[in-house]
Amino acid sequence: MTERDVTIYEVGPRDGLQNESAVVPLEAKVTFIERLVAAGLPVVEATSFVHPTWVPQLADAAELVERLGPEGRRHPVLVPNERGLDRALELGCEHIAIFGSATETFARRNLNRSLDEQFAMFEPTVRRARDAGLDVRAYVSMCWGDPWEGAVPVEQVVSVGKRLFDLGASQLSLGDTIGVGTAGAVGTLLDAFNDAGLPDDVLAVHFHDTYGQALANAYAAWQHGVRTFDASAGGLGGCPYAESATGNLATEDLVWMFRGLGVETGVDLDALVATSVWMAGVLGRPSPSKVVTALS
Amino acid sequence: MTERDVTIYEVGPRDGLQNESAVVPLEAKVTFIERLVAAGLPVVEATSFVHPTWVPQLADAAELVERLGPEGRRHPVLVPNERGLDRALELGCEHIAIFGSATETFARRNLNRSLDEQFAMFEPTVRRARDAGLDVRAYVSMCWGDPWEGAVPVEQVVSVGKRLFDLGASQLSLGDTIGVGTAGAVGTLLDAFNDAGLPDDVLAVHFHDTYGQALANAYAAWQHGVRTFDASAGGLGGCPYAESATGNLATEDLVWMFRGLGVETGVDLDALVATSVWMAGVLGRPSPSKVVTALS
């Protein structure tokens, strides 16, 4: 295995495809994940056990995990609640992710809970997962802004993250869900997490490119000491020309930056670009990744 | 006038429009520049006195300067050679820019001169411009890479920049013409210029977003101390879905970052976005700027 300086946590099959209008066939998802692994992505979040009413794009979650075979069980899967955990446990998944909110409004809209109540909801999920030997990642969404509340107080974000960590999450993925954050605010929040006793090796960052800031923010986080970066192959998860453009940071653009910095990602860029070009064909639209466009 | 912490040098009307396939009517160019000035852009490069055979998009350069009236004479204009300077002088332009190359191959292809010979070519242009009281900016193209030669030695770039400065240029715009540079290399080159006696206040940076790196590179340059940034309203100058995507850094995305950093640009973002939306209508295609897409 390649020696890596940073870990790219690939979210294309889950966060990418759940935000695409097209529903990708199961066979193509299997191929996509296998090609991402073959391209050297060390972690590939495979799917989400969310109810298909909400995310029909991922309605085949259980089938997908089964189709991926024994190797597939090591891919993280998102579980929204205990019912999702039950399905992940039945299938033998070894790694789950939960999706918390840093703001009151998004907690109510996305979780149907208050900011405080979300912890009571996540507690049995995390406890049972940990008791069964699973690793738990916690997403913290809306860390740098919320469409309803605007800027989010740093202390509030840190408090939410700390409580999810104290429940038993081994990693926090700090998400700029609507992509409004900028490089200075990235450092400010990371400093506050460090001050609260959470070192950079517990923290991951998850940037969306809605305002074109994702890569600059990732650079700021890397300068700060963060070494785990969420990204989506080909920038899957929202066309830049769509009105509600909320595309993820493209994995290729991140790999290009790290290559220039002499930072080893372990990723074979050519193999990754070829994978994203192929997936763009499946989706029937060009990849929004600049590197994919330039190299293909 | 607004107190500014950084100066955005707007290149949309020249570097943007010269790389668009559509030819924009004169009236629309006049409106575009006037709206950019009204939105608070402190410097707007208006056009280029290049031969219309090479850049038909800017064939109306002289007419445009005349139509802009007395105020228009303070906008920088690109002059490729002494013939271009003659036209700029006749029209009363107060500020010109020349376009040098950091590499042998691009000097030969773009200037039909060797790397060394370009200085002899620029010498009378700069001398005559300075004697007439004009300010001269020098672009240094291909600073971080060249399509034919690959990586460009730092010493070579510094040598070219220093010679253009010594000829009489007051500012060097260091260009990543093909967009391949990354944040670490930005700092390395800026350090080398400083070591050669050129302080950050003589340097501007000019990034293209071909590989998605432009804003991260601008952030790295700002951290280094650079305070003049070239950008193109709406990201004009190359559609991101085109095969030879070489779009400029979008002014709006840069303004968004600086606003988040608490760095005053003097630019009214809403007025700028409205201008780019209008120009997108003139060109008949959406703006590649993420901020324009998100806010419009």
PDB file of all heavy atoms in Angstrom, chain A residues 104-136:
ATOM      1  N   GLU A 104     -29.896  24.774  14.667  1.00  0.00           N
ATOM      2  CA  GLU A 104     -31.246  24.440  15.110  1.00  0.00           C
ATOM      3  C   GLU A 104     -32.172  24.184  13.904  1.00  0.00           C
ATOM      4  O   GLU A 104     -32.866  23.165  13.847  1.00  0.00           O
ATOM      5  CB  GLU A 104     -31.781  25.632  15.937  1.00  0.00           C
ATOM      6  CG  GLU A 104     -33.104  25.405  16.619  1.00  0.00           C
ATOM      7  CD  GLU A 104     -32.992  24.412  17.769  1.00  0.00           C
ATOM      8  OE1 GLU A 104     -32.049  24.527  18.582  1.00  0.00           O
ATOM      9  OE2 GLU A 104     -33.843  23.514  17.837  1.00  0.00           O
ATOM     10  N   THR A 105     -32.155  25.104  12.951  1.00  0.00           N
ATOM     11  CA  THR A 105     -33.112  24.992  11.842  1.00  0.00           C
ATOM     12  C   THR A 105     -32.856  23.739  11.009  1.00  0.00           C
ATOM     13  O   THR A 105     -33.792  23.022  10.643  1.00  0.00           O
ATOM     14  CB  THR A 105     -33.041  26.238  10.924  1.00  0.00           C
ATOM     15  OG1 THR A 105     -33.021  27.400  11.742  1.00  0.00           O
ATOM     16  CG2 THR A 105     -34.231  26.286   9.987  1.00  0.00           C
ATOM     17  N   PHE A 106     -31.592  23.471  10.715  1.00  0.00           N
ATOM     18  CA  PHE A 106     -31.309  22.290   9.887  1.00  0.00           C
ATOM     19  C   PHE A 106     -31.580  21.005  10.672  1.00  0.00           C
ATOM     20  O   PHE A 106     -32.015  20.003  10.095  1.00  0.00           O
ATOM     21  CB  PHE A 106     -29.867  22.327   9.365  1.00  0.00           C
ATOM     22  CG  PHE A 106     -29.592  21.291   8.311  1.00  0.00           C
ATOM     23  CD1 PHE A 106     -30.290  21.296   7.102  1.00  0.00           C
ATOM     24  CD2 PHE A 106     -28.637  20.299   8.511  1.00  0.00           C
ATOM     25  CE1 PHE A 106     -30.031  20.337   6.125  1.00  0.00           C
ATOM     26  CE2 PHE A 106     -28.375  19.339   7.540  1.00  0.00           C
ATOM     27  CZ  PHE A 106     -29.069  19.358   6.348  1.00  0.00           C
ATOM     28  N   ALA A 107     -31.341  21.015  11.987  1.00  0.00           N
ATOM     29  CA  ALA A 107     -31.680  19.839  12.804  1.00  0.00           C
ATOM     30  C   ALA A 107     -33.174  19.561  12.701  1.00  0.00           C
ATOM     31  O   ALA A 107     -33.598  18.419  12.492  1.00  0.00           O
ATOM     32  CB  ALA A 107     -31.279  20.074  14.261  1.00  0.00           C
ATOM     33  N   ARG A 108     -33.975  20.609  12.784  1.00  0.00           N
ATOM     34  CA  ARG A 108     -35.430  20.418  12.707  1.00  0.00           C
ATOM     35  C   ARG A 108     -35.851  19.980  11.309  1.00  0.00           C
ATOM     36  O   ARG A 108     -36.698  19.113  11.151  1.00  0.00           O
ATOM     37  CB  ARG A 108     -36.156  21.712  13.093  1.00  0.00           C
ATOM     38  CG  ARG A 108     -35.998  22.029  14.582  1.00  0.00           C
ATOM     39  CD  ARG A 108     -36.948  23.125  15.061  1.00  0.00           C
ATOM     40  NE  ARG A 108     -36.697  23.410  16.476  1.00  0.00           N
ATOM     41  CZ  ARG A 108     -37.239  22.729  17.493  1.00  0.00           C
ATOM     42  NH1 ARG A 108     -38.068  21.731  17.256  1.00  0.00           N
ATOM     43  NH2 ARG A 108     -36.937  23.052  18.739  1.00  0.00           N
ATOM     44  N   ARG A 109     -35.248  20.554  10.291  1.00  0.00           N
ATOM     45  CA  ARG A 109     -35.659  20.220   8.929  1.00  0.00           C
ATOM     46  C   ARG A 109     -35.147  18.865   8.489  1.00  0.00           C
ATOM     47  O   ARG A 109     -35.827  18.133   7.780  1.00  0.00           O
ATOM     48  CB  ARG A 109     -35.150  21.282   7.944  1.00  0.00           C
ATOM     49  CG  ARG A 109     -35.905  22.587   8.063  1.00  0.00           C
ATOM     50  CD  ARG A 109     -35.438  23.558   7.000  1.00  0.00           C
ATOM     51  NE  ARG A 109     -36.305  24.726   6.984  1.00  0.00           N
ATOM     52  CZ  ARG A 109     -37.039  25.089   5.938  1.00  0.00           C
ATOM     53  NH1 ARG A 109     -36.996  24.401   4.814  1.00  0.00           N
ATOM     54  NH2 ARG A 109     -37.808  26.153   6.004  1.00  0.00           N
ATOM     55  N   ASN A 110     -33.924  18.535   8.868  1.00  0.00           N
ATOM     56  CA  ASN A 110     -33.323  17.316   8.348  1.00  0.00           C
ATOM     57  C   ASN A 110     -33.523  16.118   9.281  1.00  0.00           C
ATOM     58  O   ASN A 110     -33.615  14.990   8.832  1.00  0.00           O
ATOM     59  CB  ASN A 110     -31.824  17.538   8.109  1.00  0.00           C
ATOM     60  CG  ASN A 110     -31.204  16.471   7.230  1.00  0.00           C
ATOM     61  OD1 ASN A 110     -31.701  16.217   6.135  1.00  0.00           O
ATOM     62  ND2 ASN A 110     -30.154  15.828   7.715  1.00  0.00           N
ATOM     63  N   LEU A 111     -33.571  16.384  10.590  1.00  0.00           N
ATOM     64  CA  LEU A 111     -33.655  15.293  11.562  1.00  0.00           C
ATOM     65  C   LEU A 111     -34.993  15.278  12.290  1.00  0.00           C
ATOM     66  O   LEU A 111     -35.275  14.343  13.053  1.00  0.00           O
ATOM     67  CB  LEU A 111     -32.528  15.432  12.607  1.00  0.00           C
ATOM     68  CG  LEU A 111     -31.096  15.567  12.072  1.00  0.00           C
ATOM     69  CD1 LEU A 111     -30.129  15.933  13.185  1.00  0.00           C
ATOM     70  CD2 LEU A 111     -30.658  14.255  11.411  1.00  0.00           C
ATOM     71  N   ASN A 112     -35.772  16.338  12.098  1.00  0.00           N
ATOM     72  CA  ASN A 112     -37.036  16.469  12.822  1.00  0.00           C
ATOM     73  C   ASN A 112     -36.809  16.437  14.337  1.00  0.00           C
ATOM     74  O   ASN A 112     -37.583  15.846  15.103  1.00  0.00           O
ATOM     75  CB  ASN A 112     -38.019  15.366  12.387  1.00  0.00           C
ATOM     76  CG  ASN A 112     -39.452  15.732  12.695  1.00  0.00           C
ATOM     77  OD1 ASN A 112     -39.791  16.916  12.794  1.00  0.00           O
ATOM     78  ND2 ASN A 112     -40.295  14.726  12.882  1.00  0.00           N
ATOM     79  N   ARG A 113     -35.742  17.033  14.766  1.00  0.00           N
ATOM     80  CA  ARG A 113     -35.357  17.112  16.177  1.00  0.00           C
ATOM     81  C   ARG A 113     -34.820  18.521  16.431  1.00  0.00           C
ATOM     82  O   ARG A 113     -34.393  19.199  15.495  1.00  0.00           O
ATOM     83  CB  ARG A 113     -34.206  16.143  16.511  1.00  0.00           C
ATOM     84  CG  ARG A 113     -34.476  14.684  16.326  1.00  0.00           C
ATOM     85  CD  ARG A 113     -35.343  14.122  17.444  1.00  0.00           C
ATOM     86  NE  ARG A 113     -35.448  12.659  17.378  1.00  0.00           N
ATOM     87  CZ  ARG A 113     -36.109  11.972  16.447  1.00  0.00           C
ATOM     88  NH1 ARG A 113     -36.700  12.603  15.458  1.00  0.00           N
ATOM     89  NH2 ARG A 113     -36.158  10.645  16.494  1.00  0.00           N
ATOM     90  N   SER A 114     -34.801  18.920  17.686  1.00  0.00           N
ATOM     91  CA  SER A 114     -34.109  20.163  18.014  1.00  0.00           C
ATOM     92  C   SER A 114     -32.607  19.899  18.010  1.00  0.00           C
ATOM     93  O   SER A 114     -32.160  18.743  17.983  1.00  0.00           O
ATOM     94  CB  SER A 114     -34.552  20.682  19.385  1.00  0.00           C
ATOM     95  OG  SER A 114     -33.957  19.893  20.395  1.00  0.00           O
ATOM     96  N   LEU A 115     -31.845  20.986  18.052  1.00  0.00           N
ATOM     97  CA  LEU A 115     -30.382  20.851  18.102  1.00  0.00           C
ATOM     98  C   LEU A 115     -29.978  19.923  19.244  1.00  0.00           C
ATOM     99  O   LEU A 115     -29.141  19.030  19.076  1.00  0.00           O
ATOM    100  CB  LEU A 115     -29.763  22.251  18.284  1.00  0.00           C
ATOM    101  CG  LEU A 115     -28.253  22.383  18.151  1.00  0.00           C
ATOM    102  CD1 LEU A 115     -27.793  22.090  16.739  1.00  0.00           C
ATOM    103  CD2 LEU A 115     -27.809  23.797  18.532  1.00  0.00           C
ATOM    104  N   ASP A 116     -30.591  20.129  20.408  1.00  0.00           N
ATOM    105  CA  ASP A 116     -30.270  19.314  21.591  1.00  0.00           C
ATOM    106  C   ASP A 116     -30.774  17.886  21.470  1.00  0.00           C
ATOM    107  O   ASP A 116     -30.088  16.941  21.872  1.00  0.00           O
ATOM    108  CB  ASP A 116     -30.894  19.963  22.838  1.00  0.00           C
ATOM    109  CG  ASP A 116     -29.860  20.785  23.589  1.00  0.00           C
ATOM    110  OD1 ASP A 116     -28.648  20.617  23.299  1.00  0.00           O
ATOM    111  OD2 ASP A 116     -30.251  21.595  24.438  1.00  0.00           O
ATOM    112  N   GLU A 117     -31.960  17.731  20.934  1.00  0.00           N
ATOM    113  CA  GLU A 117     -32.567  16.395  20.873  1.00  0.00           C
ATOM    114  C   GLU A 117     -31.799  15.437  19.954  1.00  0.00           C
ATOM    115  O   GLU A 117     -31.945  14.216  20.084  1.00  0.00           O
ATOM    116  CB  GLU A 117     -34.021  16.511  20.367  1.00  0.00           C
ATOM    117  CG  GLU A 117     -34.985  17.059  21.402  1.00  0.00           C
ATOM    118  CD  GLU A 117     -36.319  17.503  20.774  1.00  0.00           C
ATOM    119  OE1 GLU A 117     -36.465  17.406  19.527  1.00  0.00           O
ATOM    120  OE2 GLU A 117     -37.196  17.972  21.521  1.00  0.00           O
ATOM    121  N   GLN A 118     -31.021  15.995  19.012  1.00  0.00           N
ATOM    122  CA  GLN A 118     -30.323  15.091  18.091  1.00  0.00           C
ATOM    123  C   GLN A 118     -29.369  14.151  18.821  1.00  0.00           C
ATOM    124  O   GLN A 118     -29.177  13.006  18.395  1.00  0.00           O
ATOM    125  CB  GLN A 118     -29.582  15.870  16.994  1.00  0.00           C
ATOM    126  CG  GLN A 118     -28.397  16.667  17.481  1.00  0.00           C
ATOM    127  CD  GLN A 118     -27.672  17.401  16.325  1.00  0.00           C
ATOM    128  OE1 GLN A 118     -27.529  16.883  15.234  1.00  0.00           O
ATOM    129  NE2 GLN A 118     -27.239  18.618  16.592  1.00  0.00           N
ATOM    130  N   PHE A 119     -28.814  14.622  19.934  1.00  0.00           N
ATOM    131  CA  PHE A 119     -27.834  13.779  20.640  1.00  0.00           C
ATOM    132  C   PHE A 119     -28.519  12.557  21.262  1.00  0.00           C
ATOM    133  O   PHE A 119     -27.983  11.457  21.245  1.00  0.00           O
ATOM    134  CB  PHE A 119     -27.077  14.596  21.683  1.00  0.00           C
ATOM    135  CG  PHE A 119     -26.442  15.818  21.076  1.00  0.00           C
ATOM    136  CD1 PHE A 119     -26.970  17.082  21.299  1.00  0.00           C
ATOM    137  CD2 PHE A 119     -25.346  15.686  20.233  1.00  0.00           C
ATOM    138  CE1 PHE A 119     -26.411  18.196  20.709  1.00  0.00           C
ATOM    139  CE2 PHE A 119     -24.778  16.811  19.634  1.00  0.00           C
ATOM    140  CZ  PHE A 119     -25.316  18.060  19.873  1.00  0.00           C
ATOM    141  N   ALA A 120     -29.718  12.766  21.817  1.00  0.00           N
ATOM    142  CA  ALA A 120     -30.494  11.642  22.364  1.00  0.00           C
ATOM    143  C   ALA A 120     -30.828  10.641  21.256  1.00  0.00           C
ATOM    144  O   ALA A 120     -30.826   9.423  21.475  1.00  0.00           O
ATOM    145  CB  ALA A 120     -31.769  12.164  23.022  1.00  0.00           C
ATOM    146  N   MET A 121     -31.079  11.180  20.048  1.00  0.00           N
ATOM    147  CA  MET A 121     -31.381  10.288  18.930  1.00  0.00           C
ATOM    148  C   MET A 121     -30.152   9.492  18.492  1.00  0.00           C
ATOM    149  O   MET A 121     -30.228   8.299  18.205  1.00  0.00           O
ATOM    150  CB  MET A 121     -31.901  11.120  17.753  1.00  0.00           C
ATOM    151  CG  MET A 121     -32.315  10.280  16.562  1.00  0.00           C
ATOM    152  SD  MET A 121     -32.753  11.309  15.120  1.00  0.00           S
ATOM    153  CE  MET A 121     -31.174  11.478  14.313  1.00  0.00           C
ATOM    154  N   PHE A 122     -29.003  10.173  18.470  1.00  0.00           N
ATOM    155  CA  PHE A 122     -27.788   9.489  17.994  1.00  0.00           C
ATOM    156  C   PHE A 122     -27.187   8.551  19.056  1.00  0.00           C
ATOM    157  O   PHE A 122     -26.469   7.618  18.718  1.00  0.00           O
ATOM    158  CB  PHE A 122     -26.727  10.524  17.584  1.00  0.00           C
ATOM    159  CG  PHE A 122     -27.038  11.232  16.288  1.00  0.00           C
ATOM    160  CD1 PHE A 122     -26.973  12.619  16.194  1.00  0.00           C
ATOM    161  CD2 PHE A 122     -27.372  10.513  15.148  1.00  0.00           C
ATOM    162  CE1 PHE A 122     -27.241  13.268  14.999  1.00  0.00           C
ATOM    163  CE2 PHE A 122     -27.647  11.158  13.945  1.00  0.00           C
ATOM    164  CZ  PHE A 122     -27.577  12.540  13.873  1.00  0.00           C
ATOM    165  N   GLU A 123     -27.478   8.807  20.322  1.00  0.00           N
ATOM    166  CA  GLU A 123     -26.801   8.066  21.395  1.00  0.00           C
ATOM    167  C   GLU A 123     -26.912   6.550  21.243  1.00  0.00           C
ATOM    168  O   GLU A 123     -25.883   5.862  21.198  1.00  0.00           O
ATOM    169  CB  GLU A 123     -27.303   8.557  22.767  1.00  0.00           C
ATOM    170  CG  GLU A 123     -26.492   8.053  23.960  1.00  0.00           C
ATOM    171  CD  GLU A 123     -26.900   6.653  24.403  1.00  0.00           C
ATOM    172  OE1 GLU A 123     -28.101   6.299  24.245  1.00  0.00           O
ATOM    173  OE2 GLU A 123     -26.019   5.894  24.870  1.00  0.00           O
ATOM    174  N   PRO A 124     -28.148   5.985  21.125  1.00  0.00           N
ATOM    175  CA  PRO A 124     -28.211   4.520  20.997  1.00  0.00           C
ATOM    176  C   PRO A 124     -27.584   4.004  19.709  1.00  0.00           C
ATOM    177  O   PRO A 124     -27.016   2.905  19.686  1.00  0.00           O
ATOM    178  CB  PRO A 124     -29.721   4.224  21.044  1.00  0.00           C
ATOM    179  CG  PRO A 124     -30.403   5.514  20.742  1.00  0.00           C
ATOM    180  CD  PRO A 124     -29.488   6.606  21.176  1.00  0.00           C
ATOM    181  N   THR A 125     -27.663   4.793  18.643  1.00  0.00           N
ATOM    182  CA  THR A 125     -27.057   4.380  17.370  1.00  0.00           C
ATOM    183  C   THR A 125     -25.544   4.221  17.536  1.00  0.00           C
ATOM    184  O   THR A 125     -24.954   3.190  17.180  1.00  0.00           O
ATOM    185  CB  THR A 125     -27.349   5.425  16.262  1.00  0.00           C
ATOM    186  OG1 THR A 125     -28.751   5.659  16.203  1.00  0.00           O
ATOM    187  CG2 THR A 125     -26.847   4.947  14.910  1.00  0.00           C
ATOM    188  N   VAL A 126     -24.941   5.239  18.103  1.00  0.00           N
ATOM    189  CA  VAL A 126     -23.485   5.199  18.253  1.00  0.00           C
ATOM    190  C   VAL A 126     -23.075   4.120  19.265  1.00  0.00           C
ATOM    191  O   VAL A 126     -22.137   3.351  19.023  1.00  0.00           O
ATOM    192  CB  VAL A 126     -22.947   6.586  18.691  1.00  0.00           C
ATOM    193  CG1 VAL A 126     -21.437   6.524  18.911  1.00  0.00           C
ATOM    194  CG2 VAL A 126     -23.293   7.651  17.642  1.00  0.00           C
ATOM    195  N   ARG A 127     -23.820   4.036  20.395  1.00  0.00           N
ATOM    196  CA  ARG A 127     -23.472   3.045  21.426  1.00  0.00           C
ATOM    197  C   ARG A 127     -23.548   1.625  20.870  1.00  0.00           C
ATOM    198  O   ARG A 127     -22.611   0.832  21.023  1.00  0.00           O
ATOM    199  CB  ARG A 127     -24.397   3.215  22.633  1.00  0.00           C
ATOM    200  CG  ARG A 127     -24.106   2.206  23.767  1.00  0.00           C
ATOM    201  CD  ARG A 127     -24.911   2.501  25.029  1.00  0.00           C
ATOM    202  NE  ARG A 127     -26.245   3.003  24.770  1.00  0.00           N
ATOM    203  CZ  ARG A 127     -27.291   2.246  24.400  1.00  0.00           C
ATOM    204  NH1 ARG A 127     -27.151   0.938  24.238  1.00  0.00           N
ATOM    205  NH2 ARG A 127     -28.484   2.796  24.189  1.00  0.00           N
ATOM    206  N   ARG A 128     -24.652   1.329  20.206  1.00  0.00           N
ATOM    207  CA  ARG A 128     -24.815  -0.035  19.674  1.00  0.00           C
ATOM    208  C   ARG A 128     -23.769  -0.335  18.596  1.00  0.00           C
ATOM    209  O   ARG A 128     -23.258  -1.457  18.504  1.00  0.00           O
ATOM    210  CB  ARG A 128     -26.219  -0.202  19.095  1.00  0.00           C
ATOM    211  CG  ARG A 128     -27.304  -0.287  20.163  1.00  0.00           C
ATOM    212  CD  ARG A 128     -28.672  -0.425  19.516  1.00  0.00           C
ATOM    213  NE  ARG A 128     -28.704  -1.508  18.547  1.00  0.00           N
ATOM    214  CZ  ARG A 128     -29.468  -1.536  17.450  1.00  0.00           C
ATOM    215  NH1 ARG A 128     -30.265  -0.513  17.170  1.00  0.00           N
ATOM    216  NH2 ARG A 128     -29.422  -2.565  16.625  1.00  0.00           N
ATOM    217  N   ALA A 129     -23.465   0.672  17.768  1.00  0.00           N
ATOM    218  CA  ALA A 129     -22.444   0.465  16.728  1.00  0.00           C
ATOM    219  C   ALA A 129     -21.080   0.189  17.366  1.00  0.00           C
ATOM    220  O   ALA A 129     -20.382  -0.769  16.986  1.00  0.00           O
ATOM    221  CB  ALA A 129     -22.374   1.689  15.811  1.00  0.00           C
ATOM    222  N   ARG A 130     -20.738   0.993  18.336  1.00  0.00           N
ATOM    223  CA  ARG A 130     -19.445   0.812  19.012  1.00  0.00           C
ATOM    224  C   ARG A 130     -19.381  -0.534  19.733  1.00  0.00           C
ATOM    225  O   ARG A 130     -18.363  -1.225  19.697  1.00  0.00           O
ATOM    226  CB  ARG A 130     -19.176   1.968  19.979  1.00  0.00           C
ATOM    227  CG  ARG A 130     -18.959   3.316  19.315  1.00  0.00           C
ATOM    228  CD  ARG A 130     -17.675   3.300  18.481  1.00  0.00           C
ATOM    229  NE  ARG A 130     -16.516   2.970  19.305  1.00  0.00           N
ATOM    230  CZ  ARG A 130     -15.749   3.886  19.904  1.00  0.00           C
ATOM    231  NH1 ARG A 130     -15.993   5.169  19.743  1.00  0.00           N
ATOM    232  NH2 ARG A 130     -14.725   3.510  20.634  1.00  0.00           N
ATOM    233  N   ASP A 131     -20.504  -0.909  20.398  1.00  0.00           N
ATOM    234  CA  ASP A 131     -20.545  -2.209  21.104  1.00  0.00           C
ATOM    235  C   ASP A 131     -20.332  -3.368  20.121  1.00  0.00           C
ATOM    236  O   ASP A 131     -19.780  -4.414  20.485  1.00  0.00           O
ATOM    237  CB  ASP A 131     -21.883  -2.382  21.822  1.00  0.00           C
ATOM    238  CG  ASP A 131     -21.981  -1.485  23.068  1.00  0.00           C
ATOM    239  OD1 ASP A 131     -20.952  -0.886  23.448  1.00  0.00           O
ATOM    240  OD2 ASP A 131     -23.095  -1.371  23.641  1.00  0.00           O
ATOM    241  N   ALA A 132     -20.799  -3.166  18.889  1.00  0.00           N
ATOM    242  CA  ALA A 132     -20.644  -4.223  17.882  1.00  0.00           C
ATOM    243  C   ALA A 132     -19.285  -4.129  17.170  1.00  0.00           C
ATOM    244  O   ALA A 132     -19.024  -4.875  16.226  1.00  0.00           O
ATOM    245  CB  ALA A 132     -21.779  -4.121  16.859  1.00  0.00           C
ATOM    246  N   GLY A 133     -18.441  -3.211  17.650  1.00  0.00           N
ATOM    247  CA  GLY A 133     -17.090  -3.121  17.086  1.00  0.00           C
ATOM    248  C   GLY A 133     -16.966  -2.257  15.848  1.00  0.00           C
ATOM    249  O   GLY A 133     -15.938  -2.264  15.169  1.00  0.00           O
ATOM    250  N   LEU A 134     -18.013  -1.483  15.533  1.00  0.00           N
ATOM    251  CA  LEU A 134     -17.962  -0.636  14.336  1.00  0.00           C
ATOM    252  C   LEU A 134     -17.272   0.693  14.624  1.00  0.00           C
ATOM    253  O   LEU A 134     -17.301   1.193  15.758  1.00  0.00           O
ATOM    254  CB  LEU A 134     -19.389  -0.344  13.832  1.00  0.00           C
ATOM    255  CG  LEU A 134     -20.008  -1.355  12.875  1.00  0.00           C
ATOM    256  CD1 LEU A 134     -20.129  -2.731  13.533  1.00  0.00           C
ATOM    257  CD2 LEU A 134     -21.378  -0.867  12.405  1.00  0.00           C
ATOM    258  N   ASP A 135     -16.696   1.214  13.608  1.00  0.00           N
ATOM    259  CA  ASP A 135     -16.122   2.550  13.675  1.00  0.00           C
ATOM    260  C   ASP A 135     -17.214   3.554  13.284  1.00  0.00           C
ATOM    261  O   ASP A 135     -18.019   3.270  12.401  1.00  0.00           O
ATOM    262  CB  ASP A 135     -14.940   2.641  12.697  1.00  0.00           C
ATOM    263  CG  ASP A 135     -14.102   3.882  12.939  1.00  0.00           C
ATOM    264  OD1 ASP A 135     -13.937   4.269  14.103  1.00  0.00           O
ATOM    265  OD2 ASP A 135     -13.630   4.462  11.944  1.00  0.00           O
ATOM    266  N   VAL A 136     -17.241   4.698  13.969  1.00  0.00           N
ATOM    267  CA  VAL A 136     -18.291   5.685  13.719  1.00  0.00           C
ATOM    268  C   VAL A 136     -17.678   7.041  13.364  1.00  0.00           C
ATOM    269  O   VAL A 136     -16.864   7.576  14.117  1.00  0.00           O
ATOM    270  CB  VAL A 136     -19.202   5.866  14.953  1.00  0.00           C
ATOM    271  CG1 VAL A 136     -20.289   6.915  14.662  1.00  0.00           C
ATOM    272  CG2 VAL A 136     -19.821   4.543  15.380  1.00  0.00           C
TER     273      VAL A 136
END
